[in-house]
Amino acid sequence: MTTYSALTSTQGEAAARALAEAVERMEPEPYGVGVFEVEDGSGLWEVAGYFHDAPDGIILEILATAFGAKSFLVSELPEVDWVAKVQRELHPVDAGRFFVFGSHDADKLPAGRVALQIEASMAFGTGHHATTLGCLLAFDHLFTEGFRPANVADIGAGTAVLAMAAAKVLPEARVIASDIDPVAVDVAKVNVAINGLEGRIDCLEAAGFDHRKIKAAAPFDLIFANILKGPLVELAPAMATYAAPGGRVILSGLLAVQAEAVIETYLGSGFRLLNRNDLGEWSALVLEKATGLENNA
């Protein structure tokens, strides 16, 4: 089946989401619309629509003009077996004691490693991206140093690979994985089952910490948040509220050039920096909540 993409960019999230809603109402109707932040500090957001039939170029131009966006670039996409492509291109990932792999590489699992299987058809957040790898390495380092959190939250969990890493090595810990995207939550549940962790990880749909189960489970000894700079900054006060005194937060999803701004925000919210690891252009941060701070959960 032929697929067409229509891609544009505009300034700011609000304009991008409003444009995306307008694209969703087009005829022919797109089968998917995405909104993504351009992670270069420019403030630009991309809007992409995907169609089975060629979209109306005139309507797209009208929408672009109405929402202050660039003209849409329309492309006909080649037919691709994405699962087969992912299986060819995604190789197992070493992250300290953790070994992240797809089912097609199950025979490559080294002895003595903590196995984290992510289905190839659900490839986002597999550990291949430097941000997820950075979080796994940060957690591996804390674990090696003797850190044993009893209460863990993975905020913006995606495939739940970070939550699963915690559950695998902390058999007595309570682990919650949440994501704002209901599809991601479904993906997380599948991966949790594949890894034999059903009943160990509570997969929830939530924006940040806004869920009764998350609030009830607080304070957390360890919080993962592999998202984007903007949400990380916005969540800093909530992180301070829901992290236990002396608790750690592992943050990523941010460019190395954005790290200082995030660090400054968290220092102002009662954290201290324990470690920063830059992997290429991406950064992973480990911070500790100062002891003696009241928890307002």
Side-chain angles (χ1 to χ4, degrees), residues 57-67:
I58 295 176
I59 297 299
L60 287 174
E61 188 62 32
I62 291 172
L63 291 177
T65 301
F67 290 92

Side-chain angles (χ1 to χ4, degrees), residues 108-251:
K108 299 177 182 177
L109 178 62
R113 304 295 290 281
V114 178
L116 299 169
Q117 181 177 334
I118 304 294
E119 278 306 285
S121 59
M122 304 170 179
F124 60 96
T126 60
H128 295 78
H129 196 279
T131 59
T132 312
L133 176 60
C135 290
L136 286 170
L137 290 172
F139 177 53
D140 179 69
H141 180 71
L142 288 175
F143 191 84
T144 298
E145 290 187 329
F147 181 57
R148 299 292 187 272
N151 204 14
V152 180
D154 183 1
I155 304 298
T159 58
V161 64
L162 301 176
M164 292 192 301
K168 286 267 188 172
V169 298
L170 301 166
E172 303 302 320
R174 174 172 183 171
V175 183
I176 292 176
S178 71
D179 202 285
I180 195 171
D181 183 354
V183 175
V185 177
D186 290 340
V187 168
K189 290 177 179 178
V190 170
N191 284 320
V192 166
I194 289 170
N195 284 270
L197 293 170
E198 285 182 299
R200 290 291 329 283
I201 300 173
D202 202 355
C203 298
L204 306 172
E205 181 183 342
F209 295 88
D210 190 17
H211 194 288
R212 61 178 180 80
K213 288 188 177 181
I214 298 175
K215 293 176 180 179
F220 295 98
D221 307 308
L222 174 63
I223 300 172
F224 294 104
N226 182 18
I227 40 182
L228 295 171
K229 176 199 170 186
L232 287 176
V233 169
E234 292 174 5
L235 281 172
M239 289 280 187
T241 295
Y242 293 106
R248 312 295 206 274
V249 297
I250 297 176
L251 311 178

Side-chain angles (χ1 to χ4, degrees), residues 9-69:
S9 61
T10 189
Q11 196 72 31
E13 181 180 5
R17 295 200 179 279
L19 175 55
E21 290 179 5
V23 172
E24 287 178 346
R25 296 192 293 270
M26 285 183 61
E27 294 292 342
E29 181 180 350
Y31 68 82
V33 177
V35 179
F36 314 94
E37 183 179 16
V38 179
E39 297 175 344
D40 61 359
S42 66
L44 287 174
W45 287 69
E46 291 184 342
V47 177
Y50 299 92
F51 302 80
H52 290 309
D53 299 310
D56 189 321
I58 295 176
I59 297 299
L60 287 174
E61 188 62 32
I62 291 172
L63 291 177
T65 301
F67 290 92

